[in-house]
Amino acid sequence: MKWSTDRRGFLAAGGAALAGLAMQPRFAWAADGSVLRIRLIGDFQVVDPYSMIGELDDILQRCCTVTLCRISDLREGNTISPYAAEQFEWTSPTTLAFTLHEGLQWTNGFGPVTAEDVKYSFERIAGSDSAWAYQFDMLDHVEVTGERSGIIHLSEHFAPFEVIALPYYAGHIVCKAATEAVGGSFTTEFPAQCGPYLFDKWEQNARVTLKRNPDWPLAAPAFDTVEFYLIEDDAAARLAFEADAVDFTRVNVAAGRDFAANLPDGAALIETASTTYVWLTINMNAEPLRDIRVRQAIQYAYDGDAVLQGAYDGLTERATGVIQPDPLYSRQSNLIAARDVDKARALLADAGAEGVTLNLYCQTDSTTLATAQIIQASLAEAGINIEIQPTEEASYWALGDRESGEDYKSIELVLMAFAGGVDPTENLVWFRPDQIGLYNWSFFDSAEFEDLYEKSLAETDREARAAMFHRMEDLMEESGGFVFICFEPYIAVHDAGIVPVILADGHPDPTRFTRK
Amino acid sequence: MSFAADSRTDGARPRPRGALGRLMSEPMGATGAVLVALFIAVALFAPLIAPYDPLALDIPAKLQGPSLAHPAGTDQLGRDTLSRLIYGARTALAIAMGATGAAGVIGLALGMMAGYGPRWLDGALMLVLDSLASLPMILFALAVITVLGPSATTLVFVIILVSISGYARLVRAQTLGLANAEFIQAERTMGASNLRILFRHLMPNVVGPLLIVLSMDVPVVIMLEAGLSYLNLGIRPPVPSWGNILYDGYSSLRQQPALVIAAGVPLVLSTIGFTFLGEGLRDALDPRLKGGGP
C-alpha cells in the first residue's frame, strides 16, 4: 500500500482524530490512571523548612520528607496522629517522647532517619531568625536517647506544641548529614529525601512531578505519580478541571457557586470554612496614617457587608479577628461593629486629613480586586481617596519585607490573607513586634500584646487563654492598624473518584489522597 | 484628450478634489471616518451619553444580563457595563490618540531634523532612533511597568518611546527625498531660511504619509492598552478601560457572558474604524490618485 499525505490531508486527519478524542466524556490528557494531578497557584521557592515560603514548598516537604506526627483533614477536627514516630507520647507536662519507625531511609546513601536528625531539624530553627522559629518558642532542647528515639523537652508546658510545631513547616525533618554537606541550608533541591514520594522533575512555573518512593516502609500512597500543575489564574484552573487536565483544584467563590448549581458528571465539590483570614492592613508607620484618627476613619468607613456580598457572594461572615470562628476563642464582635461614615468624616476633619489619598496594594485575583474596589468605593464616601495598586505575587510579598529595601516602612494599605493554623497562637504570631518587616506590615508594636502572647503559650486554662486572645485582638483593632474582613470559604472541586485530604492551612496532602 | 485607461477615474463621476471629499467618496474610508468620528464623539460626550456613573457600585444588581435598564448588563460589582464602555472609549482614545499624537509630533520634528540637517546630526539621531527601534514593544512595556508600576502615564510614556523611531524614520526618508527637489532648491535660491523651508514647504509634504501611519497605529495602541489592562498592568481599577472590562468579563464568563461580548465589540469596531480610516487616508492623500481628470 502506498502511503502519501499532503498538508491539507494531514490537517484533516489530525483534526478528525482530535475531534474524536475530545468527544469522549472527560477527555483525559494524562491518561495514566495512577497519576494524581493537583492544580496549585504558584511554583515552589524553598524546600528547606528553615526558610520555606509558600504552599508548594510545604507540600513538597510533606511528600518528600517526614514529620513526627501529622494532622487530620480540616473537616475531621484537626486531630493529631503519629507518623514517622511509631511511638509518640507526653511523658510529663514538658517532655514528649518519640521513637521513629524502623526502615525510614534517606536517599543518596545518607542512611536511616535518626533522632539526631530530629534534634538537628528542630534546634537549628528554634530561636533563629527563621520565620517559622515561633513553632519552637517553647522548645528547650531535644534529647537523643537512642538511634531512633528521643525526648523533646519544652521550657514550659504547652499543650498545643504538637499541633503547632510538629506536623508542618519547620516540623519537617531534614537529614543532618546531607544538610551539613551542602553548607547547612538548601533551596530548590533536597540534599536527601525520605517520604512517600521522591522529587522527579521540575518544569519551572508549569509542573512539578513526584514519583512513588520504592523504599518507603510505611503505608504506600494511592498514586504512583503526583503532578502539580501551576496555574495562577482561577478561571484557567477551572477550565483545566473541566477538560480533565487536573483532578483537584481550589476554585474561587464565583466558580464554587456555579459548581454548586451545576456540578459536572464525575466531579465532587468541597465547600467548607477555611482558616485563611483576610484583613486590611493599615500601616501606622506611613506618614498619612500616623494619626490614629485617620486610621480609625478607615475602620469606620469600611463597608463590611458590601465586601461580603460583592466579593464573597455572602458565603462567609465578617471576621472579628484573625482567630477563626470558635465559640470560645474568637471574639463575639468587632469593637467597631457597625459602619459609621459620618464619624469617619468627623475623624478625618479632626485630623485635618479630608481628601487624603492612600495607596491600596493587593494581589490580582478577581476576588481580591473586587474587594479592593468595594473598599475604595466605601472609603470614598468618607472622603478618603484610594489608588488601587494591583501587584503580582512576587512583588506583593516583597512589599513588607525589610530585606527588600526601605519601602516596607511607607506602604499604606494592603489587602492581606494568611492561611491560619489550628491553635489561635499560630494566627496571632505574625503580629508580634519582631514580625515588623517580615509579616507584621501594620507596624503594630504592642508590649501588652507580646506579653499576652507569651503568657498564652504557657496558659493551660482554656477560658483564661480565650480572655487573652480576645484582649489581643482588641489591642489590634484599637491600634487602628487592622480591618478584619472575613475567613475565606474553602472551595475546591475534584474528581469524584478520589478522596482528598486538606489540612488546616488549606494545603492538600497528596500523600493521603486515596481512591474511592 | 482623455485618460480612459485609468480605471479609478473611469465612469461619469470624477473623483472629488479635496482630501476629505476623496476619503468620504470611498466606502472603506467613509466607514472608517464615521466609526472614528463616532468613537471620538462618544469619548468627548461620555458624561452626557452614559446612563449611569461608571464607578457607582450596585452590588445587589451584579452580573445582570442585558435589559432596558442596563442594555449591556452589569459587571461583578453591579456597575452599568454600557456606561463603563462609554467611559472606556474616553480612556482608550485618550491614551491611543494622545500617545500616538505626541510620538508623531516628536517623530516629525526629529525626522525632519535628521533628513534636512547636517550629516553628523543625521548620524547621531539615527543612532538613537535605531536603538529605540530595537526595543520590542511588549517586553519593553512589561519591563517599564514592572519598575514604575502600572498607570496611564507609564503606558503613554512607553508607547511614545517605542513609537518615535518608526515615525522619525518615515519622515526622514520623505524629507531626504524632497530636500533636493526643485521647489526646495528654488526657495533656497531665493534666500528662504531653513525654518521657513522646513515648516512651509517640507512639513506639509511629509505629514500626509505620517498621518496615515499614525491612523493605522491607533488601533495597535488601543489593543496594547486593553491587553495590558487585561493583565492588570495598564489602567488601574476602577477607571473604566476596555481591557479591564474584558478582564472582568473573563472572570465572570460563566455567570454572565454578555460582559465579555460587550467589552469585545468596541475593541473590534475601533480597530476596524481606524484601520479603514488609515486605508482611506492613504488613498485620499496619495498624489498619484488625486483628481478625476486632467
Side-chain angles (χ1 to χ4, degrees):
Chain A
M1 189 176 94
K2 186 181 173 190
W3 170 262
S4 70
T5 187
D6 56 17
R7 178 176 162 275
R8 186 173 295 175
F10 175 78
L11 289 173
L18 279 173
L21 282 169
M23 284 172 69
Q24 291 180 23
R26 301 260 303 151
F27 168 60
W29 295 102
D32 185 350
S34 65
V35 179
L36 173 63
R37 300 158 305 167
I38 295 177
R39 172 259 176 165
L40 296 174
I41 290 173
D43 211 339
F44 73 98
Q45 297 170 76
V46 184
V47 290
D48 183 344
Y50 189 99
S51 39
M52 61 148 287
I53 300 168
E55 182 179 27
L56 185 52
D57 298 357
D58 181 48
I59 295 172
L60 289 179
Q61 293 171 67
R62 182 163 294 109
C63 292
C64 303
T65 66
V66 286
T67 50
L68 286 180
C69 60
R70 58 187 184 182
I71 199 163
S72 68
D73 188 290
L74 66 90
R75 294 161 293 174
E76 294 168 4
N78 300 312
T79 54
I80 287 285
S81 59
Y83 182 37
E86 62 182 7
Q87 281 190 320
F88 177 79
E89 60 178 339
W90 289 97
T91 49
S92 82
T94 57
T95 53
L96 188 58
F98 65 89
T99 303
L100 294 164
H101 277 287
E102 195 166 6
L104 292 168
Q105 289 284 330
W106 293 113
T107 56
N108 301 334
F110 283 101
V113 179
T114 64
E116 192 63 40
D117 290 328
V118 177
K119 177 181 173 68
Y120 175 76
S121 301
F122 295 175
E123 290 185 357
R124 76 181 185 129
I125 290 177
S128 73
D129 62 356
S130 166
W132 310 99
Y134 78 90
Q135 291 182 251
F136 296 112
D137 272 350
M138 285 293 175
L139 178 71
D140 187 72
H141 69 283
V142 179
E143 178 189 357
V144 176
T145 57
E147 186 184 44
R148 291 189 291 115
S149 59
I151 301 169
I152 297 169
H153 292 267
L154 304 187
S155 52
E156 289 179 72
H157 175 63
F158 179 44
F161 177 81
E162 60 187 25
V163 177
I164 291 176
L166 303 183
Y168 34 46
Y169 313 140
H172 292 289
I173 297 164
V174 298
C175 174
K176 179 183 179 186
T179 305
E180 286 180 342
V182 295
S185 66
F186 48 97
T187 52
T188 57
E189 207 170 314
F190 290 105
Q193 301 172 67
C194 175
Y197 290 99
L198 300 177
F199 197 98
D200 181 54
K201 200 161 51 177
W202 180 25
E203 294 154 65
Q204 205 168 358
N205 291 319
R207 181 167 57 170
V208 177
T209 306
L210 309 180
K211 296 284 187 191
R212 185 195 293 273
N213 180 356
D215 298 324
W216 179 244
L218 307 180
F223 298 88
D224 291 336
T225 303
V226 178
E227 293 176 343
F228 299 103
Y229 288 85
L230 311 173
I231 305 170
E232 186 174 353
D233 184 74
D234 277 332
R238 176 180 176 170
L239 289 172
F241 178 77
E242 289 174 338
D244 199 22
V246 296
D247 300 313
F248 175 93
T249 178
R250 280 189 78 165
V251 292
N252 62 18
V253 171
R257 186 183 53 203
D258 285 357
F259 279 126
N262 188 17
L263 198 60
D265 290 341
L269 181 68
I270 297 172
E271 282 183 291
T272 186
S274 85
T275 59
T276 300
Y277 47 102
V278 185
W279 78 100
L280 176 67
T281 281
I282 304 169
N283 181 5
M284 53 190 87
N285 189 63
E287 188 48 52
L289 296 164
R290 288 195 170 181
D291 189 325
I292 191 169
R293 292 169 294 185
V294 181
R295 305 198 296 270
Q296 287 175 335
I298 294 170
Q299 291 176 314
Y300 277 108
Y302 168 75
D303 188 347
D305 292 338
V307 168
L308 297 179
Q309 290 303 321
Y312 293 94
D313 274 0
L315 289 177
T316 185
E317 294 182 353
R318 172 89 191 261
T320 59
V322 297
I323 299 170
Q324 52 262 42
D326 177 273
L328 184 62
Y329 286 151
S330 60
R331 294 190 304 172
Q332 291 301 303
S333 69
N334 285 284
L335 298 175
I336 300 173
R339 189 173 188 228
D340 189 340
V341 178
D342 291 336
K343 182 149 189 176
R345 281 202 201 98
L347 283 162
L348 280 179
D350 274 358
E354 300 105 320
V356 64
T357 297
L358 301 168
N359 286 299
L360 168 58
Y361 291 89
C362 65
Q363 296 205 49
T364 56
D365 61 280
S366 55
T367 304
T368 303
L369 281 175
T371 305
Q373 290 181 75
I374 297 168
I375 290 174
Q376 181 184 50
S378 60
L379 267 52
E381 289 180 44
I384 301 167
N385 303 308
I386 297 294
E387 297 276 349
I388 297 173
Q389 307 285 355
T391 310
E392 56 86 24
E393 191 175 11
S395 305
Y396 175 87
W397 288 112
L399 286 171
D401 182 1
R402 62 184 172 219
E403 301 291 326
S404 303
E406 295 294 300
D407 288 350
Y408 75 101
K409 294 178 180 171
S410 55
I411 50 170
E412 291 162 350
L413 306 175
V414 192
L415 257 180
M416 301 188 78
F418 280 2
V422 177
D423 190 76
T425 54
E426 291 182 86
N427 297 13
L428 291 161
V429 66
W430 310 114
F431 308 103
R432 296 169 67 185
D434 65 357
Q435 289 290 328
I436 291 173
L438 289 172
Y439 293 109
N440 177 356
W441 294 5
S442 287
F443 271 73
F444 173 60
D445 186 358
S446 166
E448 186 183 353
F449 181 95
E450 177 64 11
D451 182 52
L452 286 167
Y453 178 83
E454 297 288 351
K455 285 177 178 162
S456 72
L457 295 180
E459 180 59 62
T460 54
D461 181 72
R462 279 172 51 84
E463 298 282 347
R465 285 191 98 208
M468 290 176 186
F469 297 144
H470 295 172
R471 177 63 187 151
M472 290 164 83
E473 290 188 327
D474 284 350
L475 288 169
M476 290 171 75
E477 192 177 348
E478 284 168 0
S479 76
F482 305 85
V483 174
F484 303 119
I485 294 176
C486 68
F487 279 80
E488 277 186 354
Y490 184 97
I491 310 172
V493 282
H494 62 90
D495 187 318
I498 62 172
V499 181
V501 171
I502 301 146
L503 303 185
D505 55 11
H507 299 177
D509 179 358
T511 68
R512 283 184 279 175
F513 274 46
T514 53
R515 294 176 186 284
K516 268 190 180 162
Chain B
M1 189 177 176
S2 73
F3 294 87
D6 187 346
S7 62
R8 281 165 295 202
T9 57
D10 253 354
R13 194 161 58 90
R15 278 172 63 87
R17 285 195 174 271
L20 182 62
R22 287 195 297 278
L23 176 72
M24 297 307 287
S25 70
E26 296 291 336
M28 184 183 282
T31 307
V34 168
L35 280 173
V36 169
L38 193 66
F39 276 111
I40 292 172
V42 165
L44 285 176
F45 301 111
L48 303 175
I49 302 168
Y52 298 91
D53 176 352
L55 306 183
L57 308 190
D58 183 9
I59 287 163
K62 70 181 191 176
L63 292 174
Q64 289 185 354
S67 65
L68 282 176
H70 300 285
T74 59
D75 70 5
Q76 80 284 4
L77 296 174
R79 296 173 294 202
D80 180 60
T81 302
L82 179 62
S83 303
R84 290 182 65 73
L85 290 172
I86 289 169
Y87 275 88
R90 187 172 261 210
T91 307
L93 294 188
I95 286 178
M97 296 181 79
T100 49
V105 169
I106 298 169
L108 178 68
L110 293 178
M112 288 200 303
M113 283 163 63
Y116 194 73
R119 292 191 70 170
W120 66 263
L121 181 61
D122 183 27
L125 284 172
M126 281 301 105
L127 185 69
V128 174
L129 294 172
D130 285 347
S131 304
L132 284 176
S134 68
L135 299 171
M137 186 187 271
I138 300 286
L139 286 181
F140 181 64
L142 291 175
V144 173
I145 288 165
T146 303
V147 174
L148 299 180
S151 74
T153 313
T154 310
L155 209 54
V156 168
F157 169 73
V158 168
I159 292 164
I160 290 175
L161 212 57
V162 295
S163 308
I164 286 172
S165 173
Y167 302 146
R169 292 178 70 86
L170 172 73
V171 172
R172 172 182 174 269
Q174 298 282 324
T175 307
L176 282 174
L178 291 169
N180 293 315
E182 285 179 7
F183 70 99
I184 300 291
Q185 299 272 23
E187 280 292 317
R188 271 204 212 104
T189 308
M190 287 190 288
S193 69
N194 283 338
L195 276 180
R196 179 183 167 84
I197 292 171
L198 279 170
F199 287 100
R200 286 292 301 271
H201 300 289
L202 281 175
M203 197 164 79
N205 282 286
V206 299
V207 82
L210 181 63
L211 279 178
I212 295 164
V213 175
L214 288 175
S215 171
M216 297 281 206
D217 279 357
V218 167
V220 175
V221 175
I222 288 177
M223 294 304 274
L224 179 69
E225 179 272 309
L228 290 171
S229 297
Y230 178 86
L231 296 170
N232 288 305
L233 294 171
I235 303 300
R236 290 190 299 235
V239 176
S241 139
W242 292 340
N244 57 35
I245 297 170
L246 199 60
Y247 174 78
D248 291 340
Y250 169 68
S251 302
S252 317
L253 186 62
R254 303 301 181 90
Q255 297 98 312
Q256 191 44 265
L259 189 53
V260 80
I261 295 167
V265 168
L267 278 169
V268 171
L269 289 181
S270 62
T271 302
I272 290 172
F274 278 100
T275 307
F276 280 14
L277 178 65
E279 295 279 351
L281 279 175
R282 190 185 60 190
D283 291 348
L285 296 175
D286 187 338
R288 289 166 300 180
L289 304 179
K290 278 182 184 172

